[in-house]
Structures are given as C-alpha cells and as structure tokens.
Amino acid sequence: KKLTHTITLHPSFLGPRMREFVTKRLYKDVEGTCTGRYGYIVAVVAILDIQIGKIIPGHGSAEFEVKYSAILFKPFKNEVLDGVVESVNKLGFVTNAGPFQIFVSGSYIPSDMKLDMNTNPPSFHSDDQKIEKGTLVRIKIIGTLIDATKITAIGTIKEDYLGVIE
C-alpha cells in the first residue's frame, strides 16, 4: 500500500545527511504502529519520494512529506489466524496473533473443553487437547473493534479445524 507521512526535522539535522535522517525517522515513526484506516504497518518496503522540505516560520524546523510503500496487516471478520495464548481466565482466553489480541470467550470454546483454574498455569482441557499460556491455537475472527491506535478482536475455536495446533 502506498502511504504518506509528514516528518519534522530540527534545524541541527538539516545538511548533507538530511535524507538519511528523514529515512531513519520514517522507519522509527511508522513501523509497528496502527492506524484505524489501514491497520498495522508491519514494515516499510520502499521510500517512493521525499518532497522538498518546508521551513516552519518562527521555528526553524523543516517539514518533509514522505511517500512510501508498506506491508500492512488488517484483520477482518471470518479470517482464520494462528496465535499464541497469552492468558487463560474464567471468561475465556486471550491470544496474541502478531501485533494484536484476540479474545476467545468461554461460549466460543467447544463444550467438551473444561476450565481448570487449579492447574498452574490455568487451562482449558479436553481428552485430547489442552489450552494454556504458550499454546499455539488456530482461531476464526468473529468480530473486530478498530480503534485509532489498536485493533482487538473476538474469536472462536468452536468450528472444524480450529483450536490447538500440534
């Protein structure tokens, strides 16, 4: 995806290495961030154009508009993802799938899986599967909540081919 970002440089950075400073600042500012419109910016692939800087009157700093292409990650409803369980509690469990979290409620866990809060760490288990902190699971997203700076989701493992990955 092609995106733009405005970078402000202090006057001390203006000079022969200015392009290098703008490039480093772009990577630092945008990689790993989340926008509600595009999702998570995983990585900047290429810098397409750095516009000529505009001096900010009375301040001395310069603003540069940078056009770049990036790899984005925006989860959507009915998408199936793999994640690592972060925590288990009486309501369900929370999984990290890349940079965002998916909550799986107890009502979206198969009925044969029972919660055991007495084990350390707490877990959901059945005869052949066990979900505890660190377990790799496959989850289907049934809903997302997109905020300005983060994305969270609700998922299920109550369908075929979902659940613990061995």
Side-chain angles (χ1 to χ4, degrees), residues 8-15 18 55 59-62:
T8 304
L9 279 187
H10 187 270
S12 63
F13 293 106
L14 304 177
M18 183 172 55
I55 304 295
H59 196 264
S61 296

Side-chain angles (χ1 to χ4, degrees), residues 110-124:
S111 57
D112 67 326
M113 296 195 87
K114 304 297 179 206
L115 174 64
D116 187 357
M117 292 298 286
N118 297 324
T119 60
N120 191 13
S123 65
F124 283 94

Side-chain angles (χ1 to χ4, degrees), residues 82-129:
D82 296 346
V84 178
V85 175
E86 182 183 288
S87 64
V88 175
N89 60 42
K90 63 182 178 181
L91 300 175
F93 62 90
V94 177
T95 301
N96 286 333
F100 87 110
Q101 291 189 325
I102 305 169
F103 174 69
V104 179
S105 169
S107 58
Y108 293 110
I109 297 173
S111 57
D112 67 326
M113 296 195 87
K114 304 297 179 206
L115 174 64
D116 187 357
M117 292 298 286
N118 297 324
T119 60
N120 191 13
S123 65
F124 283 94
H125 61 85
S126 65
D127 293 339
D128 59 341
Q129 292 185 348

Side-chain angles (χ1 to χ4, degrees), residues 15-85:
R17 294 179 52 209
M18 183 172 55
R19 187 174 183 81
E20 178 187 333
F21 291 128
V22 169
T23 303
K24 284 182 180 178
R25 184 74 177 271
L26 175 73
Y27 284 98
K28 183 180 164 209
D29 285 358
V30 301
E31 281 189 339
T33 62
C34 179
T35 64
R37 184 173 182 189
Y38 299 114
Y40 288 94
I41 299 172
V42 177
V44 173
V45 177
I47 295 175
L48 306 173
D49 184 37
I50 300 175
Q51 304 265 320
I52 294 173
K54 295 178 184 155
I55 304 295
I56 301 170
H59 196 264
S61 296
E63 278 188 345
F64 298 87
E65 187 173 290
V66 182
K67 293 180 181 173
Y68 64 98
S69 62
I71 296 172
L72 305 175
F73 173 61
K74 186 173 185 181
F76 53 89
K77 188 176 179 180
N78 294 325
E79 183 175 6
V80 176
L81 295 170
D82 296 346
V84 178
V85 175

